[in-house]
Amino acid sequence: MSSARRTVSLITLGCARNEVDSEELAARLDAAGWRLGDDDPDVVVVNTCGFIDSAKKDSIDTLLAAADTGAKVVAAGCLAERYGEQLAEALPEAAVISFDDYTEIGERLDDVLAGKALKPHSPRDRRTLLPITPVARAAAASGAHIPGHGAPSDENRADQNRADQSLPDGVAPASGPRTLRKRLSGGPVASMKLASGCDRRCTFCAIPAFRGSYVSRPPEDLLAEARWLAGQGVTELVLVSENSTSYGKDLGDLRALEKLLPRIAATEGIERVRVNYLQPAELRPGLLDVIAGTEGVAPYFDLSFQHASGPLLRRMRRFGDPERFLDLLARIRERAPEAGVRSNFIVGFPGESRHDFDTLVGFLEEARLDVIGVFGYSDEEGTEAFSFDGKLDQDVIDERVAELSELAEELTSQRAEERIGTDIAVLIEEDLGDGGYEGRAAHQGPEVDGSVTVRGIGLVPGQIVQAVAVDSEGADLIARIKAGP
């Protein structure tokens, strides 16, 4: 079949981690001779999300819609990894692949296009693929593919080794570690994966079972990718993982992230670095200080609180209570008064009493968070909470979600109003026309945290401008550019 007919469209659902995985797939497909494009593709690959019920439904709806176009359809990503054979049986419209197929994704798609049936995998707990002890994982990780880590295929690695052997002793290849990634969208912001997997055992979460144990990427690989992304026009890097505060524990250095952040921030072309997915229980004072006080690192704290009631958090197998969380917020704001703080909260977890819920409400009223995400609990098979007693009726969960969402909207609007009159550094992301530009301040993460609208002349996406917040609309700010000296 001619190369003109081998066209693939990649659709990414879910979180920023999935976006990084898709860009690895894009690089592999490009190397295998596939052309990426959305116009009349031969194959549509849907990188699915399988975290909660609504995400699963969205993934299945997207797969069915792709099949309706007449293209061959492949289900990849978390939903596919988590359910394997079960998904293939329930959805014959799509071929189902595992993370382990990613290194040979070009061949898998060749088979699909040729009408060959792919044998779907039997789901397994991917934590069993690596040693329990974190520091023993580095040597074993090559035996299990970890999406988004950019490891070359065995063949490419062998080619690299042969090329390296031709260099004089002590001279590294000029390109450094390879970056196996192809950007699927432009713009000045890109996510970069610090690590994959999770070693925590939260009773509501199935992610560790299908994403596997925690594995950090080597610092030099991350620095090489940061340089590559800067060369692609990226100005802001967003560091993502399932748990960024664990970075380095499998490398034998719990302070690895504290050391890495200043180095990434010093990368030529990178103006801002932010870290997502911080665990409050693991936010060490040294890391807090680095995030709050390092030039080029956004004083931004994406904290995974999940709830505020101490007893309920213990039932979730989580850390904290209102006093501890408020103390952490006070320490953050002592070091960086204008720091941005966001968090998500689960409502209706089994056993949640009205008192537990009211404790959460009281905490939020004191916390002054910039962004509050509210999610209703849903049972997830394979989790400890699936078998818990004390399940709440769905109408009770829905009522509490609605109540807390309304409060969250009010509180985040108030927090934005508090920022009126303050200086903000705005990363310009889009020219709106007629002299208007949309961007984000340091306290706003991409896509989910609100934005800033400024007016100016000749501004360029990727540029950071100094501005003053003059008004707010919900969580969004309106700003004017500060006059020069």
Side-chain angles (χ1 to χ4, degrees), residues 121-143:
H121 60 283
S122 298
R124 56 180 170 173
D125 188 335
R126 293 187 73 86
R127 291 171 293 190
T128 63
L129 302 180
L130 296 173
I132 294 176
T133 305
V135 293
R137 291 175 191 159
S142 59

Side-chain angles (χ1 to χ4, degrees), residues 307-372:
H307 210 278
S309 165
L312 197 71
L313 284 165
R314 299 298 90 71
R315 192 167 167 85
M316 292 179 172
R317 223 181 283 283
R318 303 279 302 183
F319 156 91
D321 54 43
E323 292 73 26
R324 289 183 174 88
F325 290 163
L326 291 171
D327 176 69
L328 174 58
L329 293 172
R331 287 187 280 121
I332 289 171
R333 288 165 177 151
E334 179 182 1
R335 290 160 177 78
E338 300 304 326
V341 185
R342 78 174 324 274
S343 191
N344 295 323
F345 299 89
I346 298 173
V347 175
F349 188 79
E352 182 189 63
S353 66
R354 182 68 208 192
H355 177 72
D356 294 324
F357 181 76
D358 289 342
T359 299
L360 174 56
V361 168
F363 165 71
L364 291 178
E365 289 174 338
E366 291 189 63
R368 297 171 55 236
L369 303 182
D370 291 279
V371 180
I372 300 167

Side-chain angles (χ1 to χ4, degrees), residues 9-14 43-49 53-76 79 87 91 93-94:
S9 174
L10 271 167
I11 299 174
T12 306
L13 305 176
V43 179
V44 177
V45 176
V46 180
N47 189 353
T48 60
C49 179
D53 282 345
S54 59
K56 296 176 195 174
K57 183 180 184 303
D58 188 27
S59 293
I60 291 171
D61 289 346
T62 303
L63 288 164
L64 291 172
D68 286 343
T69 67
K72 303 282 188 180
V73 179
V74 174
L79 187 73
L87 180 62
L91 203 70
E93 294 89 344

Side-chain angles (χ1 to χ4, degrees), residues 7 9 12 17 48 69 107 174 214 226 279 326 351 384 400 440:
T7 304
S9 174
T12 306
R17 300 183 294 272
T48 60
T69 67
E107 293 181 22
Y214 195 89
Q279 286 287 346
L326 291 171
E384 190 176 347
R400 292 183 181 178
R440 287 177 300 103

Side-chain angles (χ1 to χ4, degrees), residues 147-460:
H149 282 220
S153 67
D154 290 340
E155 181 179 351
N156 285 343
R157 187 180 293 110
D159 290 342
Q160 179 73 55
N161 290 339
R162 285 192 292 273
D164 293 351
Q165 289 169 5
S166 66
L167 295 171
D169 290 342
V171 177
S175 60
R178 289 190 172 189
T179 297
L180 190 60
R181 181 170 181 174
K182 181 180 179 68
R183 292 203 76 194
L184 294 173
S185 60
V189 182
S191 296
M192 186 168 73
K193 188 176 283 191
L194 279 174
S196 286
C198 186
D199 289 340
R200 301 187 70 86
R201 294 296 181 265
C202 303
T203 58
F204 55 81
C205 185
I207 288 175
F210 59 83
R211 276 290 183 177
S213 299
Y214 195 89
V215 179
S216 303
R217 295 181 62 194
E220 295 307 318
D221 286 6
L222 291 164
L223 290 164
E225 186 166 335
R227 291 190 293 270
W228 181 83
L229 287 166
Q232 299 289 310
V234 171
T235 303
E236 177 175 316
L237 283 179
V238 183
L239 306 185
V240 300
S241 70
E242 276 75 21
N243 175 9
S244 296
T245 35
S246 279
Y247 178 77
K249 71 176 186 178
D250 52 321
L251 304 177
D253 186 359
L254 287 174
R255 297 187 59 201
L257 186 56
E258 300 169 35
K259 300 172 184 176
L260 177 65
L261 283 173
R263 298 179 68 192
I264 293 179
T267 301
E268 184 176 357
I270 299 300
E271 299 293 333
R272 179 185 289 166
V273 180
R274 74 176 67 241
V275 188
N276 279 7
Y277 308 111
L278 301 170
Q279 286 287 346
E282 300 178 29
L283 186 54
R284 298 169 298 280
L287 180 57
L288 191 161
D289 288 340
V290 168
I291 295 174
T294 302
E295 184 177 358
V297 176
Y300 175 81
F301 294 83
D302 176 17
L303 296 168
S304 179
F305 287 136
Q306 302 298 349
H307 210 278
S309 165
L312 197 71
L313 284 165
R314 299 298 90 71
R315 192 167 167 85
M316 292 179 172
R317 223 181 283 283
R318 303 279 302 183
F319 156 91
D321 54 43
E323 292 73 26
R324 289 183 174 88
F325 290 163
L326 291 171
D327 176 69
L328 174 58
L329 293 172
R331 287 187 280 121
I332 289 171
R333 288 165 177 151
E334 179 182 1
R335 290 160 177 78
E338 300 304 326
V341 185
R342 78 174 324 274
S343 191
N344 295 323
F345 299 89
I346 298 173
V347 175
F349 188 79
E352 182 189 63
S353 66
R354 182 68 208 192
H355 177 72
D356 294 324
F357 181 76
D358 289 342
T359 299
L360 174 56
V361 168
F363 165 71
L364 291 178
E365 289 174 338
E366 291 189 63
R368 297 171 55 236
L369 303 182
D370 291 279
V371 180
I372 300 167
V374 180
F375 298 89
Y377 171 81
S378 63
D379 269 335
E380 292 296 321
E381 56 268 57
T383 65
E384 190 176 347
F386 187 81
S387 61
F388 280 2
D389 56 12
K391 299 286 177 64
L392 277 64
D393 292 340
Q394 189 60 48
D395 60 347
V396 174
I397 296 176
D398 293 343
E399 288 172 5
R400 292 183 181 178
V401 167
E403 181 180 343
L404 201 68
S405 297
E406 182 178 357
L407 175 66
E409 185 175 351
E410 178 184 347
L411 293 173
T412 53
S413 295
Q414 290 175 4
R415 179 64 180 133
E417 289 175 6
E418 291 179 15
R419 293 187 180 276
I420 294 174
T422 63
D423 291 347
I424 52 177
V426 182
L427 172 71
I428 301 299
E429 293 187 299
E430 184 179 358
D431 184 346
L432 301 175
D434 296 327
Y437 296 85
E438 184 176 48
R440 287 177 300 103
H443 70 275
Q444 297 169 318
E447 298 182 3
V448 293
D449 285 2
S451 63
V452 180
T453 301
V454 298
R455 300 196 66 80
I457 299 174
L459 302 184
V460 179

